[in-house]
Amino acid sequence: MKLPEELASRPPRQPGQQPSATLTLDAYLRLKAELEKLTTEGRTHLAERLKHARELGDIRENAEYDAAKNEQGLMEARVRQLERMLRDPEIIEAAADADAVGPGMLVTVHPLEEDEDEDETYLLATSAEERAPGVRTVTTTSPFGSALVGAKPGQEVVYQAPGGNFRYRVLEFRPHTA
């Protein structure tokens, strides 16, 4: 896997130092682009909205100003979250020759409930920030995701959720490639 220059040239982590996030290269590049867009276009757009809202009059009773300030707060929180994640991430990729389900894989399962008969495919990931077109992301720390980790084709997995116990049969899995 070819890493971007900023990742390839970083110094090695010190013993005991944890990565800021665990991401695939695809997620790293997507999040980096999102951060760039938020800190340039996003901030410019919000500055213009705030300026326009202030021109409407008294900011104490100005719903437009309040909405823009709320949006600005949410955007800045997302910027801080992305900066933390991208500071020193561990870049992983799913093993192409794995014999069991693991992070970074697309997993197709069949629900074993009477009223469900359609197969479902999920991306199993260590971070909720991972994406794959047309499928939902399930993290390895969620009840369903932790039940999938280590499963093999044909194996039945069961997990408990507030709605009860759910059973699936693992049909296949493959590495997710961007």
Side-chain angles (χ1 to χ4, degrees):
M1 166 176 35
K2 176 134 173 64
L3 294 176
E5 180 59 32
E6 69 271 11
L7 293 177
S9 64
R10 65 186 168 179
R13 282 189 200 94
Q14 299 300 316
Q17 183 181 2
Q18 296 295 316
S20 57
T22 302
L23 303 168
T24 61
L25 184 57
D26 178 56
Y28 172 80
L29 296 173
R30 184 175 43 74
L31 294 175
K32 187 175 170 200
E34 180 185 350
L35 177 62
E36 177 67 24
K37 185 173 182 177
L38 288 175
T39 56
T40 55
E41 296 171 30
R43 284 179 174 160
T44 301
H45 170 72
L46 275 173
E48 290 169 3
R49 266 191 72 191
L50 285 166
K51 181 181 176 202
H52 171 72
R54 276 193 294 267
E55 291 170 352
L56 295 176
D58 186 2
I59 62 172
R60 289 177 296 184
E61 296 179 17
N62 185 329
E64 178 69 24
Y65 182 80
D66 289 342
K69 287 300 282 184
N70 286 340
E71 186 177 336
Q72 181 184 39
L74 292 172
M75 185 187 74
E76 290 302 325
R78 178 66 175 163
V79 165
R80 286 189 304 276
Q81 178 188 28
L82 291 172
E83 287 173 340
R84 266 193 314 275
M85 290 173 67
L86 299 175
R87 186 172 300 126
D88 184 27
E90 180 75 30
I91 304 299
I92 62 164
E93 66 181 334
D97 59 350
D99 60 352
V101 175
M105 296 188 168
L106 292 170
V107 184
T108 302
V109 296
H110 181 78
L112 297 176
E113 306 301 320
E114 293 121 26
D115 57 344
E116 297 283 333
D117 64 344
E118 201 168 305
D119 296 344
E120 302 168 3
T121 302
Y122 297 91
L123 171 63
L124 182 64
T126 56
S127 168
E129 297 291 343
E130 299 288 343
R131 303 283 184 273
V135 299
R136 291 182 19 207
T137 300
V138 175
T139 63
T140 56
T141 56
S142 70
F144 185 35
S146 61
L148 288 172
V149 172
K152 298 179 180 196
Q155 184 175 341
E156 184 178 315
V157 296
V158 179
Y159 75 96
Q160 187 174 2
N165 287 336
F166 296 90
R167 296 175 31 233
Y168 291 87
R169 181 167 324 288
V170 175
L171 300 178
E172 67 173 0
F173 62 89
R174 65 188 182 283
H176 168 59
T177 55

